[in-house]
Amino acid sequence: MLLVVREHGLLGIMKIEITPELIIRYHQGQCTQEEKEVVVEWLLDPEAEENLHLPDGEPELIHKFEIWQGISNGVKKNARRGRLIRVLKKELYAIRPITRLAIAATVLLFVGSLAAGIYYPTRSVDGQVSLDNLAGNTAKNGKLASLSFTLSPQSKAEANIPAWTRAVQIRFCGSLQVTNNSENDVELVFSSGCKKTNYTLQKVTVAKGKSYLATHYRMETDEIIVVDKARILDLPPPLVSQFIKDFKLI
Amino acid sequence: MQMSRICTLIAVLLTSLFISCDKKPADKANPNERPYGILVYSADAEKEFLIRAESLMEGSYEVPKTARQVEPIVFAYKDGSYYGIDENKRSLTRYKPTENELVADKVCSLDTIPWKYFSSWYDWVSPDTLLIGSTMEGSQFVYALVDVRTMTVASHGTFDIPFPVKPEYYGGVFAKLRDNRIYIAYTLYEGVNSLAPARDTTYMAVVEYPSMKTLDLQKDTRSTWPGGYFLHAPFSLVNNGDIYLLTQPGGRTHNHPTKSTGIYRIKKGEDKLDPTYFFRPTDQQNQEGYLLYDLGNGKALIKMVEKKRVNRYMDYLEKRIVDYYILDLYTQKKTRIDLPPDRLKFEYNVLVENDQVYVAVNNGNNESTIWRYHVPSGKLTEGITIDGQVYMINRLQ
């Protein structure tokens, strides 16, 4: 029913700012589960690198890549472990403490997520999907396990589930609808795949059988809007018309 | 033999128990015992349901285990019946409240008439006749007259109002029937893919009823975005025959950079927006007003949003950003009620009984508290808490 009422289902959506204090709390294991996942998302988001504020000339991306590479190689080849540790130490001491904390957290998370993967071997959705409807005039459908996607015209989206979290990461530009056809609640993390990168993440937990709509909007700042399909009238009026047309709603 | 008798006795007892349980819900639907009907959405239970309350001031209510999902878009309650529209089924349904649910009583098909839920409105011609209107998603004004005794469409048609020229659509929508006139106000804005502000003009058509002939089309630039785009929330009221109409050019509807929330008046016996009256309860820089609830005696309740609390559109949906104000439509003064901040919901979460105003405020979680405000004295009293978000309160008849 009620468009009116399902409005209230948005309680799950929240925005968590990345701050040095948050990173420190993360390292100290004092974060909530939501905060942990936002930190992880931020750490693994290549477009977030500019927010690290490294000293001029600090090749942070390269450092991070080398460390990951080193870990990967080190896991496979014990013989190279000594050199890896030396590289790690050298690289880590060369960068700022806050970044060091972030990297340490990433490593911890990587190990933790491997453990979580063993602990939670089954998931309601799995894999990845890439949809492109940039040249389309009508909506385009796609699936990722038990999630179904409907992409508006002039939109694109990629969805996957990284090993370190059970949340489905959806990176998109334009507008889309996601329906949870599984028997469990599914957590979705929406990020922008548009050229602009100053959009904040939006997270939502979608109950089984429910659909959510996500789109880009600018009132005062660029933002991603995510609403329960049943509360489509929560969208700004121009978008309501568009969504009704694209997704045959109401 | 002895065992057989005992078994028979147990069977009879169990059967009578089930029969008595089965009778319970419908028989207790006595308005005198539980006179308040509260429609609630529970995020935890993920459903909308009806609560029957003895009082709005004492006790607390959780989702009843027997609560059944309310299916339609309920937008009105009149003379013992609720009315809801199901856009997908293209039907208007009349419901009777029982102890714990709304039971479909009669259905009127809208299948053969033009109708879109987005940007629609309704009014009562008489207790038996419902007038519903739509802008067909911003493209054309249409109407239907429904006989709610038989739940049939008595007539339907289109209004003779100039069409918007692409890429524009009708924006905002207000319509009110008074005597033999229907006043229809709107603005124009660019729809899909455009964030351009709406025009800085309020248009108002004066339509003769029941001929539905357009008599006049007026323009006024004191404010824009008259009314809203919801069927199920109040944007206007009639006081002593004068119509008061709210404009809402805020970020939640369609942001306008210079126009502020305002209230127009259409005086009794006059077919125009009163050029001598315009109540601007706030300025464009600091606050936005939404929804207008009639308190009687020239007073109204409005939801006011402090703009500093809103940095992005999602704040309208997630944050508790609303303060409630009493407006004096005569003196054009406003008084803030000392209620906790509420979420901005477009709904009938307000009930007026004589001098008392009941307001259901969301507590920032899946819970609401109903507060009672005594208008003459300004006394505020905390009432019942409800496990869910209240979207309609009525005193059942």
Side-chain angles (χ1 to χ4, degrees):
Chain A
M1 128 161 208
L2 281 181
L3 303 172
V4 202
V5 192
R6 288 229 169 107
E7 305 186 18
H8 320 302
L10 244 198
L11 297 175
I13 295 179
M14 61 177 69
K15 181 198 163 200
I16 298 172
E17 297 279 352
I18 297 291
T19 62
E21 290 75 17
L22 181 65
I23 299 291
I24 290 167
R25 283 197 295 114
Y26 179 89
H27 181 60
Q28 293 171 342
Q30 296 173 352
C31 280
T32 63
Q33 185 61 28
E34 287 76 18
E35 289 173 327
K36 276 182 196 170
E37 289 175 6
V38 170
V39 171
V40 168
E41 170 69 19
W42 172 76
L43 287 170
L44 296 184
D45 183 359
E47 291 184 5
E49 298 302 327
E50 62 192 49
N51 299 325
L52 289 173
H53 305 302
L54 295 173
D56 288 343
E58 188 78 57
E60 204 278 337
L61 248 182
I62 295 172
H63 284 164
K64 195 168 166 184
F65 175 76
E66 285 180 352
I67 290 164
W68 275 99
Q69 199 69 28
I71 291 169
S72 173
N73 291 340
V75 170
K76 290 176 186 169
K77 300 179 182 176
N78 287 337
R80 295 169 62 186
R81 189 168 54 187
R83 190 165 73 83
L84 168 67
I85 291 171
R86 283 197 300 279
V87 170
L88 278 175
K89 274 185 178 173
K90 184 181 170 188
E91 298 291 354
L92 283 170
Y93 283 122
I95 56 181
R96 293 175 58 189
I98 182 67
T99 313
R100 230 181 290 157
L101 276 176
I103 292 168
T106 307
V107 173
L108 281 174
L109 178 90
F110 180 72
V111 175
S113 61
L114 281 179
I118 294 165
Y119 190 73
Y120 298 106
T122 57
R123 290 196 291 234
S124 55
V125 288
D126 210 348
Q128 62 179 33
V129 66
S130 183
L131 291 169
D132 187 335
N133 198 21
L134 289 171
N137 293 319
T138 56
K140 184 176 182 178
N141 297 318
K143 279 197 168 187
L144 172 58
S146 50
L147 293 180
S148 58
F149 297 82
T150 306
L151 204 57
S152 280
Q154 288 94 53
S155 302
K156 64 175 182 177
E158 293 172 3
N160 65 80
I161 315 161
W164 40 266
T165 175
R166 303 177 76 186
V168 181
Q169 312 291 311
I170 300 172
R171 194 173 176 75
F172 75 107
C173 196
S175 307
L176 81 163
Q177 172 182 297
V178 186
T179 302
N180 176 11
N181 301 311
S182 76
E183 288 301 308
N184 305 310
D185 292 356
V186 173
E187 190 175 1
L188 307 179
V189 180
F190 291 94
S191 61
S192 177
C194 299
K195 285 179 182 172
K196 281 185 179 178
T197 58
N198 51 342
Y199 290 92
T200 52
L201 297 176
Q202 282 292 346
K203 288 174 60 176
V204 63
T205 300
V206 183
K208 67 174 181 178
K210 295 201 81 176
S211 300
Y212 270 73
L213 308 169
T215 188
H216 292 70
Y217 190 64
R218 180 179 178 84
M219 192 178 74
E220 292 181 5
T221 58
D222 292 321
E223 60 181 304
I224 291 172
I225 297 177
V226 180
V227 301
D228 185 335
K229 175 184 168 183
R231 53 179 290 189
I232 182 178
L233 293 183
D234 267 4
L235 289 168
L239 295 175
V240 178
S241 304
Q242 180 189 341
F243 274 58
I244 289 171
K245 179 170 162 281
D246 289 351
F247 304 132
K248 299 179 174 56
L249 301 178
I250 301 193
Chain B
M1 192 67 183
Q2 184 78 8
M3 186 59 79
S4 171
R5 275 184 200 162
I6 291 171
C7 288
T8 308
L9 184 62
I10 290 172
V12 168
L13 283 173
L14 281 174
T15 307
S16 61
L17 183 66
F18 283 124
I19 289 170
S20 62
C21 287
D22 191 44
K23 279 185 176 175
K24 205 173 177 182
D27 289 353
K28 282 246 177 173
N30 183 349
N32 296 326
E33 289 179 11
R34 295 175 179 268
Y36 296 100
I38 308 170
L39 291 177
V40 179
Y41 170 75
S42 166
D44 293 340
E46 286 216 332
K47 65 179 171 185
E48 302 82 13
F49 57 94
L50 172 72
I51 284 179
R52 297 286 298 271
E54 293 171 24
S55 160
L56 298 178
M57 297 311 294
E58 290 177 11
S60 63
Y61 290 84
E62 295 182 347
V63 185
K65 286 180 182 169
T66 53
R68 295 198 187 173
Q69 170 84 44
V70 177
E71 294 293 347
I73 300 162
V74 173
F75 62 92
Y77 173 81
K78 193 168 187 63
D79 299 338
S81 296
Y82 285 90
Y83 294 86
I85 280 191
D86 188 320
E87 178 76 7
N88 288 322
K89 293 178 184 168
R90 299 198 59 73
S91 60
L92 169 70
T93 307
R94 187 177 73 196
Y95 294 86
K96 296 290 184 190
T98 66
E99 182 71 2
N100 57 5
E101 63 182 317
L102 296 185
V103 177
D105 179 40
K106 198 142 187 155
V107 179
C108 169
S109 172
L110 302 177
D111 214 20
T112 56
I113 66 168
W115 172 264
K116 297 278 186 186
Y117 183 81
F118 175 60
S119 213
S120 55
W121 52 271
Y122 80 94
D123 202 356
W124 291 96
V125 178
S126 70
D128 296 333
T129 308
L130 176 66
L131 172 63
I132 55 175
S134 168
T135 68
M136 301 300 285
E137 296 174 7
S139 59
Q140 184 179 25
F141 278 99
V142 300
Y143 71 91
L145 283 161
V146 179
D147 184 331
V148 295
R149 292 168 304 179
T150 57
M151 288 299 283
T152 52
V153 175
S155 65
H156 69 92
T158 59
F159 287 108
D160 182 18
I161 293 174
F163 290 115
V165 178
K166 297 292 181 199
E168 288 188 315
Y169 293 80
Y170 298 124
V173 57
F174 154 82
K176 193 76 196 164
L177 174 74
R178 184 180 66 184
D179 301 327
N180 59 342
R181 295 283 188 275
I182 303 173
Y183 303 95
I184 300 173
Y186 60 93
T187 188
L188 295 166
Y189 75 111
E190 293 183 15
V192 182
N193 298 330
S194 174
L195 301 178
R199 285 198 192 181
D200 59 3
T201 304
T202 292
Y203 299 85
M204 189 176 81
V206 180
V207 177
E208 187 181 59
Y209 177 84
S211 71
M212 300 299 190
K213 180 183 170 190
T214 299
L215 303 175
D216 192 17
L217 183 65
Q218 302 165 17
K219 297 179 186 177
D220 191 295
T221 57
R222 287 174 289 180
S223 188
T224 185
W225 204 277
Y229 56 102
F230 276 74
L231 185 68
H232 42 67
F235 307 104
S236 67
L237 60 93
V238 181
N239 181 71
N240 285 339
D242 298 337
I243 297 172
Y244 292 86
L245 147 67
L246 181 72
T247 61
Q248 309 181 129
R252 174 64 183 81
T253 49
H254 203 57
N255 211 13
H256 196 284
T258 57
K259 298 296 183 186
S260 65
T261 300
I263 297 172
Y264 285 114
R265 180 170 69 182
I266 309 167
K267 283 188 79 171
K268 185 178 182 180
E270 297 184 9
D271 289 337
K272 61 183 180 185
L273 294 170
D274 186 347
T276 67
Y277 184 93
F278 186 69
F279 180 7
R280 189 177 282 113
T282 183
D283 57 72
Q284 196 275 336
Q285 279 76 33
N286 295 313
Q287 290 177 315
E288 297 168 352
Y290 296 96
L291 303 169
L292 199 64
Y293 300 88
D294 186 9
L295 306 186
N297 302 318
K299 290 195 167 51
L301 187 74
I302 190 170
K303 296 183 180 184
M304 207 72 92
V305 172
E306 295 288 336
K307 293 188 89 165
K308 64 186 176 190
R309 294 178 184 165
V310 179
N311 297 312
R312 58 196 187 114
Y313 188 82
M314 284 301 282
D315 291 341
Y316 285 111
L317 311 183
E318 295 174 337
K319 287 187 180 175
R320 297 165 71 202
I321 53 174
V322 164
D323 289 326
Y324 287 88
Y325 284 78
I326 302 281
L327 301 181
D328 188 317
L329 300 169
Y330 301 146
T331 63
Q332 300 195 15
K333 289 188 174 159
K334 67 177 182 193
T335 309
R336 184 180 173 277
I337 304 180
D338 192 22
L339 283 167
D342 196 6
R343 287 198 167 124
L344 180 60
K345 302 295 179 191
F346 286 14
E347 53 202 13
Y348 292 102
N349 62 320
V350 174
L351 175 68
V352 179
E353 285 191 329
N354 302 318
D355 288 337
Q356 308 280 12
V357 184
Y358 297 92
V359 184
V361 176
N362 182 271
N363 295 336
N365 47 29
N366 187 37
E367 182 187 271
S368 300
T369 297
I370 292 184
W371 296 80
R372 184 176 67 193
Y373 181 77
H374 185 243
V375 180
S377 68
K379 186 184 177 191
L380 193 62
T381 311
E382 186 172 351
I384 60 174
T385 57
I386 293 176
D387 184 18
Q389 172 88 25
V390 173
Y391 63 91
M392 188 180 267
I393 313 174
N394 296 100
R395 186 173 187 107
L396 305 182
Q397 296 152 340

